[in-house]
Amino acid sequence: MIRHIVLFSAKRAEDIDTILAALRRLREIPEARRLEVVRNARLDQLSGEIDVIVHGEFEDEAALARYKAHPI
């Protein structure tokens, strides 16, 4: 299994909901075993500049490559 984690920072705080909605479309791609798109809860002092987290789990490198190549 491969975990793929991507962190996003919005230039403007008012855009975070739009970014979340757009990234949640990634859940339509069938290659991921699991895909979460969440707003950063900012529970520690080191994550202040991160707004959105995408966490995906994939069967193998081939599944991740197919996910990345998907047109969405």
Side-chain angles (χ1 to χ4, degrees):
M1 179 185 64
I2 293 178
R3 289 193 175 125
H4 180 65
I5 301 167
V6 184
L7 309 173
F8 293 88
S9 298
K11 288 184 180 179
R12 300 176 334 149
E14 57 268 23
D15 293 334
I16 296 172
D17 287 334
T18 301
I19 293 167
L20 282 164
L23 288 171
R24 285 183 176 140
R25 285 200 60 221
L26 296 173
R27 295 185 293 195
E28 298 172 26
I29 302 173
E31 301 303 332
R33 268 188 185 179
R34 177 178 174 199
L35 192 75
E36 294 179 273
V37 179
V38 297
R39 181 184 295 261
N40 184 12
R42 297 184 182 186
L43 298 176
D44 63 58
Q45 298 170 348
L46 301 175
S47 65
E49 68 279 355
I50 304 302
D51 297 306
V52 177
I53 301 163
V54 177
H55 171 246
E57 294 180 359
F58 300 86
E59 190 64 39
D60 52 28
E61 289 181 33
L64 177 58
R66 289 189 303 272
Y67 167 83
K68 289 181 174 182
H70 196 280
I72 286 181

